[in-house]
Amino acid sequence: MKSIRDVIQADLCISCGACFAAAPEYIVGMRLDKNGRKFVPALPDRNRDNALEQQLLSICPGKGYQIVQMGKENFPNSGYSFELGRYAEAWAVHSTRQEILEKASSGGIMTELAIYMLENGIVDGVTATRFTYGEIEGPLVEMYIARNLPELMQSQGSKYAPTSINMLVDSCRKSGGKYFFVGLPCQVAALNLMMRLDPALREIFPYTMANFCGGYKDYSSLRYLVRKEGIIPADVRHFQFRGEGQPGYMIIRNKDNQEVKRKYPEYLRDCPIPKEKRCVYCVDATGELADFSCGDAWLEKYRQTDKPWSIILLRSPRAQQLFGQIKGKGNILYEPVTEEEVIRSQRLNITSKKFRQYKRMFVSRMAGIRIPKWDLSLPRAGSYFHEIYVLLNKKRKSFQLWKNKVKR
C-alpha cells in the first residue's frame, strides 16, 4: 500500500483517527462512510499531498505493523510469549469498590488504574469513549477526556464499536499535561507509531493500556441488534454492550423508558453481520504494545466466585511500579496467575489470532483480498478447507444482507 487512501479502499481502516491527529490541517475530520458502518478520514478530493499521505500511512495500524520489533523496543527486558507478547507479570484482580463493580464488564481494574492515576496527579486525564444518541443514526460512540470517577464510569460498555480514540491525541497535545491512553490494541499500536515520528508524545502519554480484544463489528451490527428487539435506533436513549457483572448484559432503553436486557455474548451469536475485515486479520489478542493489558479471567476457579475477575499483564517496569503502589491501597484484590492460565483463559481468541492466521491469510491472498502485513512468524496450523469455508460463508452472509436491503 502506497497511501492512506489504499487502506481505506481495501476496507482496512479501523477508524482510529491517528491520521487526523497527525494532520488536522489536511484531514478535516472523521466521517461515517456511505453505508453508515464506521468512521473514516475525510481526505481532500483535490490537491493531494502524496508525501503527507505516505507519512500518514506510516502511522496507520490498518495496514499492519511490526508488532514483534515494536514489542522489543517498548519492553526490552520483559520475557516473550508467542501467544501474549512481551510481559513481566500476570495477575488476576478485581476492584473491591461496589460502585465500580456494579457497572463493570469484568473486574474493574481498568477503572481502578485510571482513577488512581487521576487522584494522585500522575495524569491529568484519561482517554475514554461513551455513547451519544442521535435522531437519525441512533447510538454512536464519541471520544472524550475523563478527569474523575463519574466521567470514567460513563465509558463502561462502549468498547465494542468503531471508535476514533486517537483523534484525542491532537487535543491532548494542544491542551498540555499528561494523559493515560486507554484504547484497543490497534489504537495503542497507532499511538506507538505516532511516537516514532513525534517522540514528544511519550511525555504526554506516559502510560498506555489496552483491553484483550477479539475484534468488533460495525455500526450496522449495532443497529441490527436494536431493530431485532423491535426498537427504532433513533429512539434509543441508552445502549451498552456489556456491564453489570461478568459476563454482563447488553441493555437497550428507548425514549419511552422501555428496557431490553440480553446476556453477553449470547446476543451476538445470531447477528449475521461479520466482524470488521481488519479485525479478522489481526494477530494481537492481548494488547501487546501497551504497558497494561487487561481482559476477562475466563477461568473456572474465578467464575465460581461471587466476584468478577480480570487478568492484567504488566509489560513495562513503570507498569510494575505503579501496580505495586496500587496493591498497597486496599481497593483491589489480587493473586498471581501463570502464563498457561492466561493463555487458557483466552484460548478461543488466541487460537483465532495466532494459530489460524497463516492459513486464513494464505487463502485470502489467493482470493485477491488485500490484508495487513505483520513481522510475526505464524505457525502453519489449522485447516485450509476450514478457512475457505469461513471465507465463503462470510461472502454468503454479506450477499444475503445486501439482498435483504435491496428488497426493503
PDB file of all heavy atoms in Angstrom, residues 372-389:
ATOM      1  N   PRO A 372      -3.597  -6.914   5.975  1.00  0.00           N
ATOM      2  CA  PRO A 372      -2.470  -6.239   6.627  1.00  0.00           C
ATOM      3  C   PRO A 372      -1.216  -7.110   6.639  1.00  0.00           C
ATOM      4  O   PRO A 372      -1.281  -8.333   6.480  1.00  0.00           O
ATOM      5  CB  PRO A 372      -2.983  -5.977   8.051  1.00  0.00           C
ATOM      6  CG  PRO A 372      -4.099  -6.934   8.242  1.00  0.00           C
ATOM      7  CD  PRO A 372      -4.708  -7.171   6.903  1.00  0.00           C
ATOM      8  N   LYS A 373      -0.082  -6.471   6.859  1.00  0.00           N
ATOM      9  CA  LYS A 373       1.207  -7.159   6.862  1.00  0.00           C
ATOM     10  C   LYS A 373       1.837  -7.072   8.250  1.00  0.00           C
ATOM     11  O   LYS A 373       1.822  -6.012   8.885  1.00  0.00           O
ATOM     12  CB  LYS A 373       2.145  -6.518   5.828  1.00  0.00           C
ATOM     13  CG  LYS A 373       3.472  -7.233   5.655  1.00  0.00           C
ATOM     14  CD  LYS A 373       4.296  -6.558   4.563  1.00  0.00           C
ATOM     15  CE  LYS A 373       5.632  -7.267   4.371  1.00  0.00           C
ATOM     16  NZ  LYS A 373       6.456  -6.629   3.322  1.00  0.00           N
ATOM     17  N   TRP A 374       2.397  -8.206   8.721  1.00  0.00           N
ATOM     18  CA  TRP A 374       2.989  -8.285  10.060  1.00  0.00           C
ATOM     19  C   TRP A 374       4.411  -8.834   9.968  1.00  0.00           C
ATOM     20  O   TRP A 374       4.772  -9.483   8.988  1.00  0.00           O
ATOM     21  CB  TRP A 374       2.151  -9.198  10.953  1.00  0.00           C
ATOM     22  CG  TRP A 374       0.686  -8.894  10.921  1.00  0.00           C
ATOM     23  CD1 TRP A 374      -0.267  -9.470  10.131  1.00  0.00           C
ATOM     24  CD2 TRP A 374       0.004  -7.902  11.689  1.00  0.00           C
ATOM     25  NE1 TRP A 374      -1.496  -8.926  10.366  1.00  0.00           N
ATOM     26  CE2 TRP A 374      -1.361  -7.945  11.314  1.00  0.00           C
ATOM     27  CE3 TRP A 374       0.414  -6.985  12.655  1.00  0.00           C
ATOM     28  CZ2 TRP A 374      -2.315  -7.104  11.891  1.00  0.00           C
ATOM     29  CZ3 TRP A 374      -0.536  -6.149  13.225  1.00  0.00           C
ATOM     30  CH2 TRP A 374      -1.876  -6.212  12.837  1.00  0.00           C
ATOM     31  N   ASP A 375       5.174  -8.651  11.044  1.00  0.00           N
ATOM     32  CA  ASP A 375       6.507  -9.246  11.101  1.00  0.00           C
ATOM     33  C   ASP A 375       6.521 -10.473  12.018  1.00  0.00           C
ATOM     34  O   ASP A 375       7.586 -10.920  12.449  1.00  0.00           O
ATOM     35  CB  ASP A 375       7.545  -8.226  11.569  1.00  0.00           C
ATOM     36  CG  ASP A 375       7.344  -7.782  13.013  1.00  0.00           C
ATOM     37  OD1 ASP A 375       6.230  -7.982  13.547  1.00  0.00           O
ATOM     38  OD2 ASP A 375       8.300  -7.241  13.614  1.00  0.00           O
ATOM     39  N   LEU A 376       5.347 -11.010  12.308  1.00  0.00           N
ATOM     40  CA  LEU A 376       5.223 -12.173  13.179  1.00  0.00           C
ATOM     41  C   LEU A 376       5.267 -13.453  12.351  1.00  0.00           C
ATOM     42  O   LEU A 376       4.545 -13.592  11.367  1.00  0.00           O
ATOM     43  CB  LEU A 376       3.898 -12.103  13.947  1.00  0.00           C
ATOM     44  CG  LEU A 376       3.592 -13.240  14.915  1.00  0.00           C
ATOM     45  CD1 LEU A 376       4.591 -13.235  16.062  1.00  0.00           C
ATOM     46  CD2 LEU A 376       2.167 -13.119  15.445  1.00  0.00           C
ATOM     47  N   SER A 377       6.101 -14.369  12.746  1.00  0.00           N
ATOM     48  CA  SER A 377       6.192 -15.661  12.066  1.00  0.00           C
ATOM     49  C   SER A 377       5.095 -16.572  12.608  1.00  0.00           C
ATOM     50  O   SER A 377       5.096 -16.935  13.787  1.00  0.00           O
ATOM     51  CB  SER A 377       7.570 -16.281  12.307  1.00  0.00           C
ATOM     52  OG  SER A 377       7.704 -17.489  11.611  1.00  0.00           O
ATOM     53  N   LEU A 378       4.151 -16.943  11.753  1.00  0.00           N
ATOM     54  CA  LEU A 378       2.973 -17.693  12.186  1.00  0.00           C
ATOM     55  C   LEU A 378       3.117 -19.182  11.893  1.00  0.00           C
ATOM     56  O   LEU A 378       3.659 -19.563  10.848  1.00  0.00           O
ATOM     57  CB  LEU A 378       1.724 -17.157  11.467  1.00  0.00           C
ATOM     58  CG  LEU A 378       1.330 -15.720  11.793  1.00  0.00           C
ATOM     59  CD1 LEU A 378       0.349 -15.196  10.758  1.00  0.00           C
ATOM     60  CD2 LEU A 378       0.731 -15.623  13.186  1.00  0.00           C
ATOM     61  N   PRO A 379       2.630 -20.039  12.788  1.00  0.00           N
ATOM     62  CA  PRO A 379       2.681 -21.480  12.533  1.00  0.00           C
ATOM     63  C   PRO A 379       1.649 -21.885  11.483  1.00  0.00           C
ATOM     64  O   PRO A 379       0.590 -21.270  11.366  1.00  0.00           O
ATOM     65  CB  PRO A 379       2.351 -22.086  13.899  1.00  0.00           C
ATOM     66  CG  PRO A 379       1.499 -21.056  14.562  1.00  0.00           C
ATOM     67  CD  PRO A 379       2.032 -19.725  14.107  1.00  0.00           C
ATOM     68  N   ARG A 380       1.949 -22.949  10.756  1.00  0.00           N
ATOM     69  CA  ARG A 380       1.029 -23.410   9.712  1.00  0.00           C
ATOM     70  C   ARG A 380       0.026 -24.397  10.308  1.00  0.00           C
ATOM     71  O   ARG A 380      -0.083 -25.547   9.877  1.00  0.00           O
ATOM     72  CB  ARG A 380       1.812 -24.032   8.565  1.00  0.00           C
ATOM     73  CG  ARG A 380       2.789 -23.063   7.933  1.00  0.00           C
ATOM     74  CD  ARG A 380       3.385 -23.599   6.653  1.00  0.00           C
ATOM     75  NE  ARG A 380       4.351 -22.652   6.116  1.00  0.00           N
ATOM     76  CZ  ARG A 380       4.865 -22.729   4.895  1.00  0.00           C
ATOM     77  NH1 ARG A 380       4.514 -23.715   4.089  1.00  0.00           N
ATOM     78  NH2 ARG A 380       5.750 -21.837   4.478  1.00  0.00           N
ATOM     79  N   ALA A 381      -0.685 -23.930  11.303  1.00  0.00           N
ATOM     80  CA  ALA A 381      -1.681 -24.765  11.980  1.00  0.00           C
ATOM     81  C   ALA A 381      -3.043 -24.574  11.309  1.00  0.00           C
ATOM     82  O   ALA A 381      -3.206 -23.754  10.407  1.00  0.00           O
ATOM     83  CB  ALA A 381      -1.751 -24.394  13.456  1.00  0.00           C
ATOM     84  N   GLY A 382      -4.028 -25.358  11.772  1.00  0.00           N
ATOM     85  CA  GLY A 382      -5.376 -25.198  11.252  1.00  0.00           C
ATOM     86  C   GLY A 382      -5.606 -25.922   9.946  1.00  0.00           C
ATOM     87  O   GLY A 382      -4.850 -26.815   9.561  1.00  0.00           O
ATOM     88  N   SER A 383      -6.651 -25.500   9.242  1.00  0.00           N
ATOM     89  CA  SER A 383      -7.078 -26.195   8.023  1.00  0.00           C
ATOM     90  C   SER A 383      -7.374 -25.199   6.912  1.00  0.00           C
ATOM     91  O   SER A 383      -8.125 -24.244   7.117  1.00  0.00           O
ATOM     92  CB  SER A 383      -8.334 -27.025   8.313  1.00  0.00           C
ATOM     93  OG  SER A 383      -9.001 -27.393   7.142  1.00  0.00           O
ATOM     94  N   TYR A 384      -6.787 -25.424   5.742  1.00  0.00           N
ATOM     95  CA  TYR A 384      -7.099 -24.582   4.586  1.00  0.00           C
ATOM     96  C   TYR A 384      -8.581 -24.698   4.232  1.00  0.00           C
ATOM     97  O   TYR A 384      -9.229 -23.694   3.919  1.00  0.00           O
ATOM     98  CB  TYR A 384      -6.259 -25.003   3.380  1.00  0.00           C
ATOM     99  CG  TYR A 384      -4.798 -24.636   3.476  1.00  0.00           C
ATOM    100  CD1 TYR A 384      -3.820 -25.621   3.555  1.00  0.00           C
ATOM    101  CD2 TYR A 384      -4.395 -23.302   3.463  1.00  0.00           C
ATOM    102  CE1 TYR A 384      -2.468 -25.295   3.620  1.00  0.00           C
ATOM    103  CE2 TYR A 384      -3.050 -22.967   3.535  1.00  0.00           C
ATOM    104  CZ  TYR A 384      -2.098 -23.962   3.617  1.00  0.00           C
ATOM    105  OH  TYR A 384      -0.770 -23.634   3.693  1.00  0.00           O
ATOM    106  N   PHE A 385      -9.118 -25.904   4.287  1.00  0.00           N
ATOM    107  CA  PHE A 385     -10.514 -26.111   3.906  1.00  0.00           C
ATOM    108  C   PHE A 385     -11.460 -25.363   4.842  1.00  0.00           C
ATOM    109  O   PHE A 385     -12.462 -24.802   4.406  1.00  0.00           O
ATOM    110  CB  PHE A 385     -10.845 -27.606   3.887  1.00  0.00           C
ATOM    111  CG  PHE A 385     -10.144 -28.361   2.814  1.00  0.00           C
ATOM    112  CD1 PHE A 385      -9.084 -29.222   3.116  1.00  0.00           C
ATOM    113  CD2 PHE A 385     -10.503 -28.212   1.480  1.00  0.00           C
ATOM    114  CE1 PHE A 385      -8.420 -29.905   2.116  1.00  0.00           C
ATOM    115  CE2 PHE A 385      -9.837 -28.898   0.475  1.00  0.00           C
ATOM    116  CZ  PHE A 385      -8.798 -29.752   0.791  1.00  0.00           C
ATOM    117  N   HIS A 386     -11.119 -25.357   6.131  1.00  0.00           N
ATOM    118  CA  HIS A 386     -11.959 -24.629   7.083  1.00  0.00           C
ATOM    119  C   HIS A 386     -11.937 -23.133   6.795  1.00  0.00           C
ATOM    120  O   HIS A 386     -12.984 -22.474   6.835  1.00  0.00           O
ATOM    121  CB  HIS A 386     -11.484 -24.894   8.518  1.00  0.00           C
ATOM    122  CG  HIS A 386     -12.296 -24.183   9.559  1.00  0.00           C
ATOM    123  ND1 HIS A 386     -13.606 -24.517   9.832  1.00  0.00           N
ATOM    124  CD2 HIS A 386     -11.998 -23.137  10.376  1.00  0.00           C
ATOM    125  CE1 HIS A 386     -14.072 -23.719  10.771  1.00  0.00           C
ATOM    126  NE2 HIS A 386     -13.111 -22.873  11.121  1.00  0.00           N
ATOM    127  N   GLU A 387     -10.763 -22.590   6.491  1.00  0.00           N
ATOM    128  CA  GLU A 387     -10.666 -21.155   6.216  1.00  0.00           C
ATOM    129  C   GLU A 387     -11.388 -20.797   4.923  1.00  0.00           C
ATOM    130  O   GLU A 387     -11.991 -19.724   4.818  1.00  0.00           O
ATOM    131  CB  GLU A 387      -9.205 -20.727   6.166  1.00  0.00           C
ATOM    132  CG  GLU A 387      -8.426 -20.949   7.457  1.00  0.00           C
ATOM    133  CD  GLU A 387      -9.081 -20.329   8.680  1.00  0.00           C
ATOM    134  OE1 GLU A 387      -9.795 -19.311   8.533  1.00  0.00           O
ATOM    135  OE2 GLU A 387      -8.888 -20.860   9.785  1.00  0.00           O
ATOM    136  N   ILE A 388     -11.343 -21.689   3.930  1.00  0.00           N
ATOM    137  CA  ILE A 388     -12.106 -21.455   2.697  1.00  0.00           C
ATOM    138  C   ILE A 388     -13.593 -21.435   3.002  1.00  0.00           C
ATOM    139  O   ILE A 388     -14.335 -20.566   2.517  1.00  0.00           O
ATOM    140  CB  ILE A 388     -11.773 -22.537   1.645  1.00  0.00           C
ATOM    141  CG1 ILE A 388     -10.333 -22.373   1.154  1.00  0.00           C
ATOM    142  CG2 ILE A 388     -12.751 -22.467   0.466  1.00  0.00           C
ATOM    143  CD1 ILE A 388      -9.841 -23.523   0.304  1.00  0.00           C
ATOM    144  N   TYR A 389     -14.040 -22.388   3.822  1.00  0.00           N
ATOM    145  CA  TYR A 389     -15.454 -22.448   4.204  1.00  0.00           C
ATOM    146  C   TYR A 389     -15.882 -21.165   4.917  1.00  0.00           C
ATOM    147  O   TYR A 389     -16.934 -20.590   4.615  1.00  0.00           O
ATOM    148  CB  TYR A 389     -15.700 -23.662   5.102  1.00  0.00           C
ATOM    149  CG  TYR A 389     -17.059 -23.649   5.768  1.00  0.00           C
ATOM    150  CD1 TYR A 389     -18.204 -24.032   5.073  1.00  0.00           C
ATOM    151  CD2 TYR A 389     -17.188 -23.224   7.093  1.00  0.00           C
ATOM    152  CE1 TYR A 389     -19.445 -23.996   5.681  1.00  0.00           C
ATOM    153  CE2 TYR A 389     -18.429 -23.184   7.710  1.00  0.00           C
ATOM    154  CZ  TYR A 389     -19.561 -23.573   7.003  1.00  0.00           C
ATOM    155  OH  TYR A 389     -20.782 -23.543   7.607  1.00  0.00           O
TER     156      TYR A 389
END
